[in-house]
């Protein structure tokens, strides 16, 4: 396994993400919200931390995507079964209110970052057709683009700072958060993914744009409510899987510059979610974890690719955690995407982690103590 070398754009991106996270981590509502999360609490079996641990185990993504808890946790609370820890309703109401505020301000920030994309809000991306995983009102693993956000004129505005008041931000903190968002937007614009999207957009001819719009219309037709209901009337995950497949089929049928544009849009938008939502959320409410005793390190795919490793089950990890490995062959932090567990009498419980190296973090982030 070779040591990865970061481009300036990647290192600048992770530096900007960490700067913004440090501002948010100091906000009063963020601190109150984060204190009850299972990974931060002194215990995770009783009261609100216990309830949130139950939600996490049931698929609520409290650990992996904490800034989406304002939506995910109420949805999960409506369907979890018996046996959940009891929680004082006043405590629960306060936390859910905090979670809603946190997610709301976060989504406004994401919308503003997206407004920096070329031709916003008139992007011809088929992925933004009605009913897709990026635009549906139903369950989705993605951060949706809403009509209200697209119509808000963010492309003409400075970074939104007024919403931060609901998180308890002082005027100085709001100003720092706004500047951090501005720097993050500049860092995103300097990445290879965003530069490819700008080039792909500039290469589109009128015929290419017509091909993209036709694909978008075909997607919208295939994702009308009656059609989705006929495929799966009730279950949220199969309905989402159908939406994903419809989009994948339509995008896969594109040709030439239209295909390049759709692929470039997908890469740029996923980078926003990874950097400005998933990784940012981890740093803002949890921080990173230093791991020792890592063995069996392996890398797969082209950079950044994925890495696998094994470690003793002595530190609680979750999919979504940011970890540092004590292996000189991998100097950068890793965003965990999957965990597996094994047990034998000789070695005890072992964790097999899979994740994406955040190339460039070694030069701009401080490694936490193990």
């Amino acid at each position: 396994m070779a040591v990865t070398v970061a481009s300036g754009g990647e290192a600048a991106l992770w530096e900007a993400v960490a700067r913004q996270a440090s501002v948010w981590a100091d906000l009063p509502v963020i601190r109150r919200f984060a204190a009850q999360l299972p990974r931060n609490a002194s215990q995770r079996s009783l009261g609100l931390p216990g309830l949130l641990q139950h939600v996490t185990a049931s698929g609520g993504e409290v650990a992996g995507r904490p800034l989406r808890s304002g939506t995910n946790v109420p949805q999960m609370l409506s369907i979890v079964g018996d046996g959940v820890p009891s929680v004082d309703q006043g405590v629960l109401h306060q936390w859910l209110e905090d979670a809603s505020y946190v997610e709301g301000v976060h989504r406004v920030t994401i919308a503003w970052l997206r407004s920096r994309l070329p031709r916003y809000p008139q992007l011809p991306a088929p992925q933004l057709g009605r009913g897709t995983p990026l635009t549906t009102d139903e369950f989705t693993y993605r951060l949706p683009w809403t009509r209200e956000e697209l119509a808000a004129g963010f492309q003409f505005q400075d970074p939104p700072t007024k919403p931060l008041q609901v998180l308890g931000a002082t005027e100085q903190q709001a100003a720092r958060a706004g500047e951090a968002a501005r720097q993050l937007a500049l860092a995103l614009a300097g990445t290879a993914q965003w530069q490819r999207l700008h080039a792909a957009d500039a290469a589109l001819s009128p015929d290419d744009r017509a091909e993209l719009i036709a694909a978008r219309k075909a997607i919208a037709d295939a994702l009308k409510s009656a059609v989705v209901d006929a495929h799966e009337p009730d279950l949220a995950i199969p309905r989402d899987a159908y939406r994903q497949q419809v989009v994948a089929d339509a995008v896969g049928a594109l040709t030439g510059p239209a295909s390049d544009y759709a692929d470039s849009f997908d890469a740029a938008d996923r980078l926003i979610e990874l950097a400005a939502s998933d990784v940012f959320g981890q740093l803002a409410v949890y921080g990173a974890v230093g791991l020792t005793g890592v063995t069996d390190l392996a890398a797969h795919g082209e950079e950044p690719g994925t890495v696998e490793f094994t470690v003793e089950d002595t530190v609680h990890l979750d999919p979504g955690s940011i970890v540092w490995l004590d292996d000189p062959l991998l100097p950068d932090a890793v965003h965990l995407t999957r965990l597996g567990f094994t047990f034998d009498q000789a070695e005890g419980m072992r964790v097999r982690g899979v994740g994406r190296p955040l190339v460039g973090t070694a030069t701009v982030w401080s490694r936490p103590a193990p």
Side-chain angles (χ1 to χ4, degrees):
M1 174 179 168
V3 174
T4 56
V5 179
S7 71
E10 290 168 317
L13 173 62
W14 301 124
E15 183 176 26
V17 168
R19 184 184 301 114
Q20 188 187 40
S22 69
V23 176
W24 276 55
D26 285 337
L27 301 180
V29 174
I30 293 286
R31 292 201 305 268
R32 189 170 65 207
F33 162 78
Q36 296 286 359
L37 296 173
R39 205 191 307 167
N40 294 333
S42 59
Q43 56 80 35
R44 60 181 70 202
S45 58
L46 302 174
L48 182 53
L51 177 63
L52 294 176
Q53 179 63 31
H54 188 92
V55 169
T56 299
S58 300
E61 295 194 301
V62 175
R65 289 170 167 167
L67 300 188
R68 306 189 197 184
S69 296
T71 297
N72 290 344
V73 172
Q75 288 179 341
M76 294 302 300
L77 290 177
S78 68
I79 61 174
V80 292
D82 297 330
V84 299
S86 61
V87 180
D88 178 272
Q89 289 305 297
V91 172
L92 178 60
H93 175 79
Q94 177 66 69
W95 189 88
L96 290 174
E97 184 176 77
D98 288 346
S100 178
Y101 287 152
V102 168
E103 180 172 345
V105 179
H106 174 55
R107 285 180 178 265
V108 169
T109 305
I110 292 294
W112 183 83
L113 291 170
R114 283 170 165 167
S115 75
R116 309 296 100 182
L117 292 171
R119 298 185 188 272
Y120 183 96
Q122 302 299 324
L123 295 89
Q127 295 94 329
L128 295 179
R130 186 169 297 185
T132 70
L134 285 178
T135 62
T136 182
D137 293 330
E138 297 185 17
F139 169 81
T140 175
Y141 290 105
R142 303 297 304 277
L143 268 175
W145 294 56
T146 70
R147 295 182 189 179
E148 293 78 11
E149 291 166 353
L150 287 165
F154 286 129
Q155 68 272 26
F156 305 119
Q157 301 174 22
D158 290 330
T161 57
K162 189 173 182 179
L164 288 157
Q165 293 176 1
V166 302
L167 302 184
T170 64
E171 184 176 337
Q172 291 78 11
Q173 286 174 319
R176 288 177 56 213
E179 181 57 28
R182 191 190 309 276
Q183 292 301 315
L184 179 52
L186 292 173
L188 282 164
T191 62
Q193 291 90 330
W194 277 43
Q195 290 173 1
R196 282 198 298 269
L197 178 59
H198 276 276
D201 178 75
L204 292 175
S205 69
D207 287 345
D208 298 326
R209 293 187 181 279
E211 184 178 356
L212 288 166
I213 297 303
R216 190 162 169 166
K217 183 179 184 304
I219 289 172
D221 288 342
L223 293 179
K224 288 180 178 178
S225 296
V227 181
V228 179
D229 289 344
H231 176 80
E232 168 52 56
D234 300 311
L235 299 177
I237 291 179
R239 288 170 71 89
D240 177 69
Y242 174 70
R243 296 177 195 280
Q244 293 184 49
Q245 190 61 54
V246 166
V247 173
D249 290 346
V251 169
L254 294 171
T255 60
S259 176
D260 292 341
Y261 176 87
D263 290 342
S264 297
F265 169 82
D266 182 64
D269 191 49
R270 287 184 184 276
L271 182 62
I272 297 173
E273 286 198 30
L274 171 67
S277 184
D278 295 347
V279 173
F280 164 71
Q282 290 292 315
L283 296 181
V285 305
Y286 292 126
V289 179
L291 299 179
T292 59
V294 170
T295 60
D296 305 323
L297 181 64
H300 306 285
E302 297 182 4
E303 188 178 308
T306 61
V307 295
E308 295 186 48
F309 62 91
T310 301
V311 67
E312 289 185 34
D313 186 27
T314 58
V315 177
H316 186 90
L317 300 174
D318 297 290
S321 296
I322 306 297
V323 299
W324 294 84
L325 313 184
D326 65 339
D327 191 312
L329 292 178
L330 184 61
D332 293 304
V334 174
H335 179 232
L336 291 182
T337 56
R338 189 168 72 249
L339 293 173
F341 298 87
T342 60
F343 177 81
D344 65 45
Q345 299 251 340
E347 296 187 334
M349 185 71 74
R350 306 282 288 175
V351 178
R352 187 67 176 167
V354 180
R356 169 179 173 154
L358 303 178
V359 179
T361 49
T363 62
V364 294
W365 287 4
S366 298
R367 179 184 288 266

